[in-house]
């Protein structure tokens, strides 16, 4: 019975994902109730929150829960019209919005730790940007992936889990975006807790992220292996990955929380 119940739960989640995938929740236009001028919007408050409460990728959720700067940033996200920002600023905004609302979901008692929890966390819970209600699934699929075609963003957005990329102790900005995305890609791909390479057996043990979003990486580099090779720090290994076939195996994903849980 337990196995059957688990299978039914997974089926329900899969059906839910299929439904959402076919129904975009992303508006064409945004209408914030109290709009901020583009020049008045800033990621500074979120940057200070991250500097204060994130260390080596570990997120201090109890501290963020009582930090008024985090509340202010979420309010500002609802007051900005993303379409009025330059393209790089738009991408920086959506990456920061994803990370901020991924934190907010944890603070509100949601968790991606189980199948049902993932449905509630990514799909069932909505957040506000520019006066519009969005969930994390739609923000990632319908905005970040569909509109920007930037595979490095997969190493920038963090869904509050141990196997996610490490949350950086700073916010993304349009002016520094390319450098920040490049740094995040190199850190993630060279992190042995997330990706490993067995040169003797020619096996690349890659994060499940590369499995879920293979098409995004292949579109940029032609193959998953060549994409990874661009960012590997070891020049000998990088050259080998670029020219010698490796067998790719994907690592199990650890959905445990990436920091101490908030105290409620």
């Amino acid at each position: 019975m337990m196995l059957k119940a688990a299978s039914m739960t997974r089926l329900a989640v899969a059906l839910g994902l299929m439904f959402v995938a076919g129904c975009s929740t992303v508006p064409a236009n945004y209408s914030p109730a109290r709009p901020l001028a583009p020049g008045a919007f800033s990621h500074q408050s979120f940057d200070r929150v991250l500097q204060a409460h994130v260390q080596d990728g570990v997120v201090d959720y109890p501290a963020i829960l009582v930090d008024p700067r985090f509340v202010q940033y979420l309010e500002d996200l609802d007051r900005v019209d993303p379409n009025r920002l330059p393209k790089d600023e738009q991408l920086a905004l959506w990456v920061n919005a994803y990370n901020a609302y991924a934190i907010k979901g944890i603070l509100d008692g949601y968790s991606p730790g189980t199948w049902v929890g993932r449905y509630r966390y990514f799909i069932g819970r909505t957040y506000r940007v520019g006066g519009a209600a969005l969930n994390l699934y739609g923000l990632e699929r319908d905005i970040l992936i569909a509109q920007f075609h930037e595979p490095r963003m997969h190493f920038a957005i963090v869904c509050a889990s141990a196997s996610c990329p490490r949350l950086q102790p700073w916010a993304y900005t349009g002016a520094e975006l390319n450098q920040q995305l490049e740094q995040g890609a190199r850190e993630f791909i060279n992190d042995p807790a997330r990706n490993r390479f067995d040169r003797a057996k020619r096996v690349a043990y890659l994060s499940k992220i590369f499995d879920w979003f293979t098409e995004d990486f292949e579109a940029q580099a032609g193959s998953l292996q060549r994409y990874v090779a661009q960012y590997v720090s070891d020049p000998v290994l990088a050259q080998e990955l670029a020219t010698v076939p490796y067998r790719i195996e994907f690592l199990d994903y650890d959905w445990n929380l990436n920091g101490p849980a908030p105290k409620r």
Side-chain angles (χ1 to χ4, degrees):
M1 288 296 292
M2 290 181 65
L3 179 59
K4 183 176 181 181
S7 298
M8 291 300 291
T9 297
R10 291 172 185 173
L11 177 60
V13 173
L15 290 173
L17 289 172
M18 289 172 61
F19 175 79
V20 173
C23 301
S24 174
T25 59
V26 177
N29 298 295
Y30 297 86
S31 301
R34 296 182 299 123
L36 286 170
F41 177 75
S42 169
H43 302 290
Q44 187 176 76
S45 55
F46 189 44
D47 187 77
R48 289 174 176 172
V49 168
L50 295 173
Q51 287 186 43
H53 306 309
V54 177
Q55 184 172 8
D56 295 327
V58 177
V59 184
D60 189 344
Y61 291 99
I64 296 178
L65 181 63
V66 295
D67 192 327
R69 294 172 297 188
F70 185 65
V71 176
Q72 181 61 57
Y73 183 67
L74 300 185
E75 292 177 356
D76 289 347
L77 284 175
D78 195 29
R79 297 181 60 193
V80 64
D81 182 343
N83 291 342
R84 297 184 64 191
L85 301 176
K87 199 68 173 180
D88 281 354
E89 289 288 355
Q90 287 184 35
L91 180 52
L93 179 145
W94 288 118
V95 169
N96 288 330
Y98 186 100
N99 290 339
Y101 282 126
I103 293 171
K104 176 62 172 169
I106 299 299
L107 300 184
D108 288 345
Y110 293 80
S111 168
T114 66
W115 281 92
V116 173
R118 286 193 277 284
Y119 180 88
R120 296 177 67 229
Y121 181 76
F122 291 109
I123 296 173
R125 178 74 165 88
T126 60
Y127 307 94
R128 298 190 66 81
V129 177
L134 304 166
N135 59 37
L136 292 177
Y137 183 88
L139 198 164
E140 178 181 24
R141 301 281 178 153
D142 299 331
I143 296 178
L144 285 169
I145 293 176
Q147 297 182 18
F148 292 94
H149 310 288
E150 173 51 83
R152 292 177 299 176
M153 71 85 188
H154 291 297
F155 315 123
I157 60 173
V158 183
C159 62
S161 303
S163 284
C164 286
R166 291 186 176 191
L167 186 63
Q168 300 288 1
W170 32 258
Y172 290 82
T173 65
E176 300 176 294
L177 186 61
N178 186 66
Q179 176 185 338
Q180 291 173 323
L181 292 175
E182 197 72 4
Q183 177 181 334
R186 292 192 179 281
E187 287 182 1
F188 182 83
I189 289 172
N190 291 284
D191 184 346
R194 291 163 172 80
N195 302 281
R196 302 193 303 273
F197 305 92
D198 188 328
R199 294 185 60 198
K201 297 181 179 179
R202 290 183 177 171
V203 180
Y205 299 95
L206 300 183
S207 165
K208 195 70 175 172
I209 289 172
F210 287 109
D211 185 20
W212 292 331
F213 304 105
T214 298
E215 291 182 359
D216 296 345
F217 301 110
E218 288 181 340
Q220 195 276 337
S223 76
L224 191 55
Q225 186 173 320
R226 283 199 292 272
Y227 185 89
V228 172
Q230 298 176 104
Y231 293 99
V232 169
S233 296
D234 182 336
V236 176
L237 175 59
Q239 178 63 25
E240 195 168 276
L241 286 169
T243 56
V244 179
Y246 266 53
R247 185 174 83 253
I248 294 177
E249 296 186 11
F250 297 107
L251 300 171
D252 291 337
Y253 210 76
D254 184 351
W255 289 100
N256 286 310
L257 191 62
N258 61 348
K263 299 171 183 176
R264 310 202 64 80

